[in-house]
Amino acid sequence: LRVGYPEVVYGEGKTSEQVTEIATYMQAKGQNVLITRSNDHMYETVVKACPKARYNPLGRTISIVNKAYQETSSKISIIAAGTSDLPVVEEAYETAKIFGNKVEKIIDVGVAGIHRLFNQMDRIREAKVLIVVAGMEGALASVVGGLVDKPIIAVPTSVGYGANLGGVVTLLGMLNSCASGVSVVNIDNGFGAAYNASMINRL
Amino acid sequence: LRVGYPEVVYGEGKTSEQVTEIATYMQAKGQNVLITRSNDHMYETVVKACPKARYNPLGRTISIVNKAYQETSSKISIIAAGTSDLPVVEEAYETAKIFGNKVEKIIDVGVAGIHRLFNQMDRIREAKVLIVVAGMEGALASVVGGLVDKPIIAVPTSVGYGANLGGVVTLLGMLNSCASGVSVVNIDNGFGAAYNASMINRL
Amino acid sequence: LRVGYPEVVYGEGKTSEQVTEIATYMQAKGQNVLITRSNDHMYETVVKACPKARYNPLGRTISIVNKAYQETSSKISIIAAGTSDLPVVEEAYETAKIFGNKVEKIIDVGVAGIHRLFNQMDRIREAKVLIVVAGMEGALASVVGGLVDKPIIAVPTSVGYGANLGGVVTLLGMLNSCASGVSVVNIDNGFGAAYNASMINRL
Amino acid sequence: LRVGYPEVVYGEGKTSEQVTEIATYMQAKGQNVLITRSNDHMYETVVKACPKARYNPLGRTISIVNKAYQETSSKISIIAAGTSDLPVVEEAYETAKIFGNKVEKIIDVGVAGIHRLFNQMDRIREAKVLIVVAGMEGALASVVGGLVDKPIIAVPTSVGYGANLGGVVTLLGMLNSCASGVSVVNIDNGFGAAYNASMINRL
Amino acid sequence: LRVGYPEVVYGEGKTSEQVTEIATYMQAKGQNVLITRSNDHMYETVVKACPKARYNPLGRTISIVNKAYQETSSKISIIAAGTSDLPVVEEAYETAKIFGNKVEKIIDVGVAGIHRLFNQMDRIREAKVLIVVAGMEGALASVVGGLVDKPIIAVPTSVGYGANLGGVVTLLGMLNSCASGVSVVNIDNGFGAAYNASMINRL
Amino acid sequence: LRVGYPEVVYGEGKTSEQVTEIATYMQAKGQNVLITRSNDHMYETVVKACPKARYNPLGRTISIVNKAYQETSSKISIIAAGTSDLPVVEEAYETAKIFGNKVEKIIDVGVAGIHRLFNQMDRIREAKVLIVVAGMEGALASVVGGLVDKPIIAVPTSVGYGANLGGVVTLLGMLNSCASGVSVVNIDNGFGAAYNASMINRL
Amino acid sequence: LRVGYPEVVYGEGKTSEQVTEIATYMQAKGQNVLITRSNDHMYETVVKACPKARYNPLGRTISIVNKAYQETSSKISIIAAGTSDLPVVEEAYETAKIFGNKVEKIIDVGVAGIHRLFNQMDRIREAKVLIVVAGMEGALASVVGGLVDKPIIAVPTSVGYGANLGGVVTLLGMLNSCASGVSVVNIDNGFGAAYNASMINRL
Amino acid sequence: LRVGYPEVVYGEGKTSEQVTEIATYMQAKGQNVLITRSNDHMYETVVKACPKARYNPLGRTISIVNKAYQETSSKISIIAAGTSDLPVVEEAYETAKIFGNKVEKIIDVGVAGIHRLFNQMDRIREAKVLIVVAGMEGALASVVGGLVDKPIIAVPTSVGYGANLGGVVTLLGMLNSCASGVSVVNIDNGFGAAYNASMINRL
Ligand SMILES: Nc1ncnc2c1ncn2[C@@H]1O[C@H](COP(=O)(O)O)[C@@H](O)[C@H]1O
Ligand SMILES: Nc1ncnc2c1ncn2[C@@H]1O[C@H](COP(=O)(O)O)[C@@H](O)[C@H]1O
Ligand SMILES: Nc1ncnc2c1ncn2[C@@H]1O[C@H](COP(=O)(O)O)[C@@H](O)[C@H]1O
Ligand SMILES: Nc1ncnc2c1ncn2[C@@H]1O[C@H](COP(=O)(O)O)[C@@H](O)[C@H]1O
Ligand SMILES: [Mg+2]
Ligand SMILES: [Mg+2]
Ligand SMILES: [Mg+2]
Ligand SMILES: [Mg+2]
Ligand SMILES: [Mg+2]
Ligand SMILES: [Mg+2]
Ligand SMILES: [Mg+2]
Ligand SMILES: [Mg+2]
């Protein structure tokens, strides 16, 4: 449908065989492929048929670049509160990459140690669009939103326990952000955030 | 803070006098002002001090253009399902306008009569960024997201009854959209959607 | 009780032995049997006693046709958004079948790629009653409801993650459908939808 | 769109003038009109322009029959638990009527006094399709579903207090009905139930 | 504390050793013991030290009668909708038994086949107090409450799926029962219901 | 149905005229009447037709004793945490009274000042059955349940704010009570508690 | 009970007369009184009997200092995000004052404009204990918690709309704070926070 | 950052290797370390590199005291309802210990047997600050709050079943406590409660 775009396969609930079949078909057509929510076994099956497949175990993505692409000159920054948010960061990173974006990760800048965030403000301000990944109360989205005049796509993560309700509290907190310029995607949806950011970065 | 931006005042819970004071101060500085969640009485008080004030009763906004601005050449489209979503549409429209955007409204294109949406696809595809406003199950965001390759900011409205839970179901439905490229703001938050869209439209 | 109806056994929480006992008893009486929410082990136990038993592993159903039945001339169509909804589709399909209905599956027509749905409209319009199976935001029920003038039974599925809340958001979204003619059954309840559709198809 | 169908106007959030305008337009075209969620003032405004308008204050409906219609020979029965469910019963009744159905009301047959329901079983069994209206725990839908072999459309009402949560408990209870053959519409949605029932009754 | 009462031990989260220690201590004192939420391993450990221990695997209870007791002449009836409610029925039954009550089980009388309930009304009416165990929408409590003039303790079970929310819908439905005389205990709390019923039966 | 019982009318949502009609009819038959959820206007209308009517404005009940009744010798105690729970206490009190029970109120014994509760333990222990009325976290039910060996019917009230959720937290807290012997009725349901207690008190 | 403490009266749901009676009684005993959740009419009634009564209309408190008290040398700081949180700030302020604390208000330092918070850090660090009042996503508690090594009592406010759920999202967000040292009281509970802070400040 | 404080590592979601690396680094710097949410395997890995590591399997903590500290003279008391709350008690205990506090555990004093609590009141009153750990309905926090004039930090636990909702009911109950002086931390957050209590105890 969308000419030149990589094919994206949502791996959850698909067998390694089903995914490999799609990947092989796309390889034959010379198209790039991104598989999200994959796993070790899926990668091992895919890579046999598609030797260019590259696996990001933390982000649970498989990227297959069959056709070189031109990277954007403008940049997407992915900002994350803590190390437990890394799986979502990596899903977003791999997505942004294979959609042809220059992309940068700035992690461990949660608001409990806000000076670390301030130390990164110059790098953050260079980006054209920001992805903010956070769990718990999701305060990082508000703080970044107050500091930067760029479109921000916030991704709540399911990191937390007790009254966190599997990320629902983080999600609703981000939607209530007192800072303007923040829009939100589903819990743990690094792919969706990066797809969105890519659209904006390419404008 | 942000030089050249209009000042935005959230009218809810403020007295007409408090709002007028801010408006008068900004008028003296030659700055544009947008007041959201206002009401008839607030407008009547403000307009005495700021004769340029213009009231949108449906959107509950007061706009005061003290300084002419250049309109963007690219366009924001605001797409809405039904007539009951109009207050949110108007809040978004006035916000986009005073932030200097070319903006267009396409209403009454809900998915229950999907041909009306298809009739508008050419106009919709001309926009640089889309705002989709819908209540009930919020299906319009998914349908537009599947048809258009533009960033979409979805605004759930509190229109509905019974199991609608004051818009929460619409909100969560939009966050679960099966279409990529959709990000979401708070229920009835036309301002936030337009602020976001304006940032993107001006990139 | 209801003469001529197949006996339906809800397999969840029953042992393979308990289920086989019921199936054997019904076989002796020459009555048809449908077992839902079964599993591989249950099938292997049942088929030893009832060699006519046929297993649908995706739908988790066991069908035992001990007595031939006349198929209806009018048709039930089961329409589904994506491949992950297939288990529910298959449960509905097997139920409709053993209750003697002509039934057709139309899958992978989710609203994110709405042209695929439009390509199937002629087939869809031939049905007497429709079952719409969808997860995520459940928009498919609204879209089909707006296009077709037939009774629609919507089945929300528990497919999704994050703010999907195990299908509750899909369920509530479908109940808020802006299209008339849509009624709803419990999450993943393919059996209930087909039982209902069968009653209507046989009117 | 749907030739010969009455035009349905959802009165909530519309002004009496807006509704009158639609009604007058339809009167000129000789089409029947149903206005739901109306009120006294709306009726008084409408009836001046459309003298055939008839008001049901309990059901909050205005019916305008501009063109005689043929009544079905088969029957819809509307069964209700208590007198507080009557507004929903009346909305369903007026909808079924103007869509050309023979329709009957059987009220005050809640399960707390189950003999009253049993006294009505003969009449209930004559119907082609049933609408069951109930608040509180919604048990009536299950009981009727167990007794009758007809399609049942259950309408939860917002009648109740405390842990009833505005009808949400009734709604979810009905969706969990242990009886087959029950599908559900939104809380207080008498219109939707009758629209559905009418489709089925006319098959 | 309460002289003559059996000691009740809540087995969940305790080791087999901890439970055996308590049981042995009570055996030495000649007191009766009831262990709830136990399991096979716990029973095997306990029975070595306390040979009178009797295990109910369905109800997950261990009963140790070290001291004979006089059974009441009045009766508790435990009424249950379906076979999947049996674990809760058995927990209630064993509790009532060891607290010295005459107790009777009447199962598989759910409202989807209400004639089976009616066939048992004479036995039900003989009881002094009733325990009603049901899952799904919990309608049985209302129906029995409407038919019988006895105190009813309703126990919602976590049996169900989808919008059942782990028994919360059943619980809230029972609390909204339209029949008087029904009070409710926690989901799956057969012990609590029987403890209560025992207090009442012994008045 | 139940010979000799007072007729109970739930006033909410009924007109003063409807209620008066029922009351007059029962007066003619010499039967006692209790009207709950009434109001000043309803009382004034009723008392004109039934001069024996007595109004409890706090409990919102109207009691009409047309036929003298024998009071029980055993006692129901109604125990309440604070003065804001009084409306529910009074509804329970009037219900217990007209059903012929000896009944006593013990108020302002919330757990924040637990010594006041201890001062009343002797009176509390004299009762045959207890009604515990409390809002906020509902701890009183657990404390009384731990101290007294009597059946306890707990009534959560909607008193509280913020995270109280209109009494739902109190309700669920009471259902999780760590003390045995506590069963629960709907939020603010003083009538239901007293009806239950009366059944038990009369055993 | 607690000698020397002011008497605190929760005005909500009490009549002006009831409150005045308590206030007069305490005045006679020379004790200080704080009335929370009061209103204009209540103040006018109280002040006639107790001329020392002072009203804070924003905080809805009435303070009556009948006996001078010694102010603490250590300080409580009340920090608030925005002007709409002021009613809660004032309730906390008046409570802290009449309990004899030195107390300071630092408002309008929400995270959307974080530099204003940093400008106040020196004053904030002087306090012995902090009260942080915020609505929306409640991020301020986390940010302050990360910057200051003092006990923090967070008060969520019901300020917000849409997916804010009346402050529940703020509350749960604060409980999930990624910063240590934050404990939480009920929504809008300025009194409770100050009571707590006072206990700590007086250690 | 905070000089002299032990380093706290949140073990959940970290590998044993990652945690050991941090622990070794801190050992080299002579700093104390607390690892929460650890497990057997993590301890075995850590202790090889840091022989001073001490494991609390119930509390799931690893404490490494590399530098002796001075214990406070004032005391923190940790009060718990039942034995199933012990894991949270132990996490709090180890945290308070390594932060240098004198700390005492008082367990099995739940309100269902309130005399056991009263037997401990003298010890409880000696503490400077209290931590109350409870599951189910959380009534213990209110009762202690009513009896003691000390700051109380309440920790809801996820102990319970059915309508307990994983501790959310306990949490909200504690926030609605009718006793003043109670503030609350997240479900099962023994660490957070002790960190807070330590701050207060050291004032
Ligand atoms: N991690 C993800 N989360 C949400 N949506 C995804 C994710 N990965 C892929 N998708 C969407 O799923 C589509 C592919 O789905 P499928 O055809 O089932 O493989 C893509 O086009 C994306 O829109
Ligand atoms: N009471 C009702 N509840 C739900 N939907 C309704 C109701 N009444 C009318 N509708 C729907 O609303 C549509 C008309 O909406 P509108 O064009 O806004 O007046 C009708 O075609 C129905 O599908
Ligand atoms: N199945 C059950 N559900 C709820 N509470 C129970 C159950 N079994 C026992 N109990 C309660 O738990 C107490 C014993 O708890 P424990 O001292 O922890 O063994 C008993 O006295 C009962 O009050
Ligand atoms: N059990 C716990 N619950 C909540 N927060 C904790 C817990 N243990 C440690 N923390 C916090 O987590 C921080 C360490 O997180 P990390 O850097 O991811 O190891 C500590 O400074 C504490 O603030
Ligand atoms: Mg910003
Ligand atoms: Mg798109
Ligand atoms: Mg349709
Ligand atoms: Mg049926
Ligand atoms: Mg009864
Ligand atoms: Mg007791
Ligand atoms: Mg801190
Ligand atoms: Mg206290």
Side-chain angles (χ1 to χ4, degrees), chain A residues 117-126 144 147-148:
Chain A
L117 177 66
F118 282 103
N119 291 343
Q120 303 285 351
M121 282 316 300
D122 289 346
R123 279 171 74 203
I124 290 173
R125 287 217 172 83
E126 289 162 19
V144 175
L147 289 167
V148 186

Side-chain angles (χ1 to χ4, degrees), chain F residues 3-203:
Chain F
V3 184
Y5 271 46
E7 176 75 16
V8 183
V9 181
Y10 180 63
E12 196 78 59
K14 298 213 175 67
T15 64
S16 299
E17 288 65 37
Q18 290 175 313
V19 168
T20 304
E21 196 175 330
I22 307 173
T24 313
Y25 177 78
M26 291 297 152
Q27 180 178 255
K29 303 211 323 190
Q31 213 175 320
N32 294 341
V33 182
L34 172 69
I35 303 157
T36 64
R37 310 288 159 114
S38 69
N39 53 52
D40 291 17
H41 178 266
M42 193 176 277
Y43 170 65
E44 280 150 30
T45 316
V46 166
V47 80
K48 278 186 201 131
C50 308
K52 286 181 184 157
R54 191 177 46 72
Y55 185 43
N56 182 328
L58 200 49
R60 294 180 52 204
T61 56
I62 303 173
S63 303
I64 318 179
V65 179
N66 294 309
K67 189 175 63 184
Y69 51 78
Q70 179 75 37
E71 207 175 72
T72 57
S73 56
S74 62
K75 188 179 71 174
I76 298 172
S77 278
I78 305 173
I79 304 170
T83 54
S84 25
D85 301 318
L86 280 179
V88 179
V89 168
E90 292 299 323
E91 185 181 285
Y93 181 81
E94 296 290 353
T95 302
K97 263 296 193 239
I98 205 164
F99 276 82
N101 298 281
K102 188 151 126 196
V103 50
E104 180 176 50
K105 291 177 273 189
I106 299 175
I107 63 168
D108 211 13
V109 292
V111 302
I114 211 164
H115 56 98
R116 285 196 297 264
L117 176 66
F118 283 101
N119 291 343
Q120 303 286 350
M121 281 316 299
D122 289 345
R123 279 171 73 203
I124 291 174
R125 288 219 172 82
E126 290 163 18
K128 186 166 176 185
V129 51
L130 302 170
I131 294 171
V132 175
V133 181
M136 323 290 278
E137 86 288 40
L140 186 61
S142 296
V143 172
V144 175
L147 290 166
V148 186
D149 227 24
K150 298 285 166 54
I152 293 172
I153 297 157
V155 195
T157 66
S158 54
V159 168
Y161 63 90
N164 175 276
L165 308 180
V168 170
V169 165
T170 317
L171 172 76
L172 296 179
M174 285 171 163
L175 284 160
N176 279 284
S177 174
C178 50
S180 308
V182 177
S183 69
V184 184
V185 295
N186 199 1
I187 300 164
D188 291 334
N189 191 3
F191 163 75
Y195 184 97
N196 241 297
S198 174
M199 275 185 170
I200 297 171
N201 191 37
R202 293 179 151 282
L203 285 180

